[in-house]
């Protein structure tokens, strides 16, 4: 923000781009003009810029007018439906990484990739470009990893799979992202009881202790453009397949993963249809070959929510039920065992299904999970500190059998209630597909403010017949 | 902007949407959090909001959390390639009009319409939706109007056409917009010597005096969504055909135009190809029928810049040369006469070509232009007050004949030099297509700051062989 009079003197206009320099650090920013808050020849900057340039109050900086980056033309080119060259993709990704592109410009790039799609070659180049701008981490040999493309409510298998595999001796340092279109991501869930943002050295320490970790990938700078792009996709709840594949693989490669399990849930109300899932599988397999990764891609049924809790706190409770063998949601349990066995198989273990089940039943997986949480400065008991203040029971009159619960709408409901930012917010599903409800509650909606609860109840009422369908 | 602590208390997060209320006025805004500039329980708002809510310093307002508008789902629907229903288009346009959508969300809508296109039915509905949210103005019967879809550098025929037609007795109240992708729009050019933003009553007064006007349409609120959409399109220099047709027709209908001339320049380096121009013509003709407009659509050669000056001040100088019959650029003159005669023909005038030429040669058109400028509180002599401080001559060594000057790149060059915001900035073309240059200058670049001139010169050097091509 610059004073209107100063702007006028410099012939600077709103939305012009400037380079702000402090010593040898520099950042690009977009001009806004004000009159009042600041004096002439002063500028006010965002916290982001303060941190980046390590600015102090009243510090003197250089401000230089710069022209729009050339990558805007490349974004236009993609919007027009043309293929982008390797150098062009690198230029766009570099510009996103160094803040040369505004959110509106990134939205155009995201739309272009989403609507026009990308060739395998473009996706390969996008992956390389993302690796190129990010940090690389060496965590040693034989790194295992899993990833689900998400979209299925409550499908929080990762903490269970990681715990089982770590017990079996696999080194599985799991970095996750925050929720994109769902009510919670693995990181949002882990954060209910432990820290998720660690330095590279801290992560190495956690892995040394436990063979695993459950941390936020964003802070590692593996793919600095990724969070920016996901934040923008988030706004309209889209998830571009090309961007998805490049984003996942770039982060796995940067963290040195060599053995990778990809889970693609598909079906009615999942993120992708069976056909799209098969296309994605093909893209993953083809690209993994180019990058020399040992990969297994599984397609799983994603048409109904998994588990009972939807939202960070509620999902963590489901995970603990599975790990402690205390009334576990059966679907979450079997899905976790299936995925764990696939990873164990990739590691050459014999009878992987039996091994996974034995580790879970023995309580060793829960012990491992507690170790990881402790190493991440957390504690299972932190769960009790989180309390949703407001709740609403959705009850059924008469006798009805549930035919379908819509992932997208139940996610939306949880998001309207405050997920993923409000950790204790969410939806508890009492009755699932094919279960019978007789004059009883089928859902409970939780929120941390009365207003958000009201919005969620209103959203439920408006979408009543679609969120939960009956026979 | 709200203090982080207050935000935390209200469980408000960055990018949450709030409704700010002051008495019976309300506006939707997006939350950003700060610590420092403001105290807890205080908010800071943009000038836009201050004006909209008529706020005073320290005024107490109500802030309410609201959920994302439903139209985000509709934008997603369009991004996915589906057709939008009438009610859905109305909802999006209403949300843009009442500030419920952010710039990023509008960018997604713009991209969706651009990449997926719109059916004739969708364009009709978009036009209706734009008319619906805008003001309607009654300027009486038999209103004539012209519009060029633009994209051709220096093609500033409007002031000349309007002056000629007004002399011939046509009532032609011309409202224009600012530059979208070019170096200057008609409004940017008129603004070099006169005011362009008037109230409806003031415009009626100007028309009463002169039969015409050359004003900015934005201030009339004919299509309040239009400027917002154009501002976003501007960022990546795209111009969606569906949006273009709806935007033009909605404004013409709202201002009560009944006789309409549309000029579509096409060709190499113009905004559209001949094929696209023909598609646009069809859309215009079909839609005009639905709205009961008498319309004439002409396709003109748009492959080379028109006139010599590119940029607000330089284009105004060309216009005055044509009107005063003082070394007029021949192409600007003949193009203006052609368009004027088409409008005169639409008005039923006999020998329209001869009539247009006679009016121009007689000096009556210039007299009329001066009347309009005077009525718009301007003065031709204001031109001399604008001076570009910096200039750079592009010279040719040896003997070269010009083959092509690229509209898009010459526009870009003028924009890098500061157009359209810096009125005196721009490019003067000394030599045009098929002209011979012998050790002399072919272009002069003008700018109001040294930095912008440097950027423009750098841009010229980088695109040397493409801006001006030689045989």
């Amino acid at each position: 923000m610059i004073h209107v009079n100063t702007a006028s003197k410099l012939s600077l206009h709103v939305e012009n781009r400037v380079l702000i320099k402090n010593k040898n650090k520099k950042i690009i920013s977009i001009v806004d003009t004000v009159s009042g808050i600041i004096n002439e020849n002063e500028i006010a900057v965002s916290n982001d810029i303060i941190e980046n340039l390590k600015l102090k109050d009243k510090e003197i900086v250089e401000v230089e007018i710069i022209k729009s980056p050339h990558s805007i033309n490349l974004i236009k080119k993609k919007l027009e439906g043309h293929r982008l060259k390797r150098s062009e993709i690198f230029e766009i990704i570099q510009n996103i990484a160094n803040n040369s592109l505004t959110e509106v410009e990134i939205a155009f790039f995201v739309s272009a990739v989403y609507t026009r799609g990308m060739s395998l070659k473009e996706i390969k180049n996008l992956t390389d470009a993302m690796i190129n701008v990010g940090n690389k981490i060496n965590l040693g040999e034989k790194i295992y990893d899993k990833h689900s493309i998400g979209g299925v409510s409550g499908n929080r298998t990762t903490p269970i799979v990681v715990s089982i595999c770590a017990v079996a001796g696999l080194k599985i340092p799991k970095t996750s992202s925050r929720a994109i279109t769902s009510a919670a991501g693995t990181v949002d869930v882990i954060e209910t009881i432990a820290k998720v943002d660690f330095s590279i050295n801290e992560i190495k320490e956690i892995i040394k202790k436990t063979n695993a970790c459950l941390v936020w990938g964003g802070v590692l700078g593996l793919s600095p453009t990724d969070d920016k792009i996901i934040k923008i996709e988030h706004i309209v709840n889209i998830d571009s397949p090309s961007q998805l594949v490049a984003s996942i693989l770039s982060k796995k490669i940067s963290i040195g993963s060599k053995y990778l399990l990809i889970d693609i849930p598909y079906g009615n109300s999942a993120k992708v249809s069976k056909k799209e899932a098969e296309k994605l599988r093909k893209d993953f397999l083809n690209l993994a070959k180019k990058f020399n990764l040992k990969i297994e891609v599984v397609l799983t049924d994603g048409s109904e929510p998994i588990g009972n809790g939807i939202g960070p706190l509620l999902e963590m409770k489901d995970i603990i039920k599975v790990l402690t063998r205390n009334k576990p949601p059966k679907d979450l349990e079997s899905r976790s065992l299936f995925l764990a066995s696939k990873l164990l198989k990739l590691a050459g273990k014999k009878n992987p299904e039996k091994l996974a089940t034995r580790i879970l039943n023995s309580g060793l997986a829960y012990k491992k999970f507690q170790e990881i949480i402790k190493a991440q400065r957390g504690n299972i008991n932190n769960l009790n500190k989180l309390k949703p203040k407001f709740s609403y029971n959705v009850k059924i009159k008469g006798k009805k059998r549930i035919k379908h619960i819509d992932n997208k709408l139940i996610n939306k409901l949880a998001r309207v209630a405050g997920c993923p930012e409000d950790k204790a917010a969410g939806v508890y599903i009492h009755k699932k597909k094919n279960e019978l409800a007789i004059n009883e509650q089928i859902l409970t909606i939780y929120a941390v403010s009365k207003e958000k609860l009201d919005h969620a109840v209103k959203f439920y009422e408006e979408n009543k017949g679609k969120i939960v369908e009956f026979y």
Side-chain angles (χ1 to χ4, degrees), chain A residues 46-63:
Chain A
S46 68
N47 280 328
D48 201 32
I49 296 176
I50 291 174
E51 279 171 31
N52 255 288
L53 298 184
K54 308 217 180 299
L55 293 175
K56 292 177 209 87
D57 197 22
K58 311 275 178 213
E59 187 138 3
I60 289 168
V61 294
E62 270 181 69
V63 176

Side-chain angles (χ1 to χ4, degrees), chain A residues 174-193:
Chain A
K174 181 75 182 92
T175 64
S176 306
S177 56
R178 297 184 185 279
I180 304 176
T181 54
S182 66
T186 296
V187 160
D188 303 303
V189 173
I190 297 298
E191 222 173 11
T192 58
I193 54 170

Side-chain angles (χ1 to χ4, degrees), chain A residues 1 125 217 254 263 335 384 471:
Chain A
M1 289 192 294
N125 289 330
S254 292
D263 172 27
R335 181 69 56 98
N384 307 320
Y471 281 102

Side-chain angles (χ1 to χ4, degrees), chain A residues 9 11 74 95 118 131 158 160 162 171-172 181 199 203 260 271 280 300 362 408 418 429:
Chain A
K9 265 182 227 158
S11 74
L74 305 175
N95 279 189
M118 272 189 159
I131 295 171
T158 295
I160 303 167
V162 164
K171 195 190 273 185
I172 182 162
T181 54
S199 69
I203 290 176
L260 182 56
K271 200 179 267 183
L280 267 180
T300 53
S362 67
K408 283 177 184 158
I429 305 172

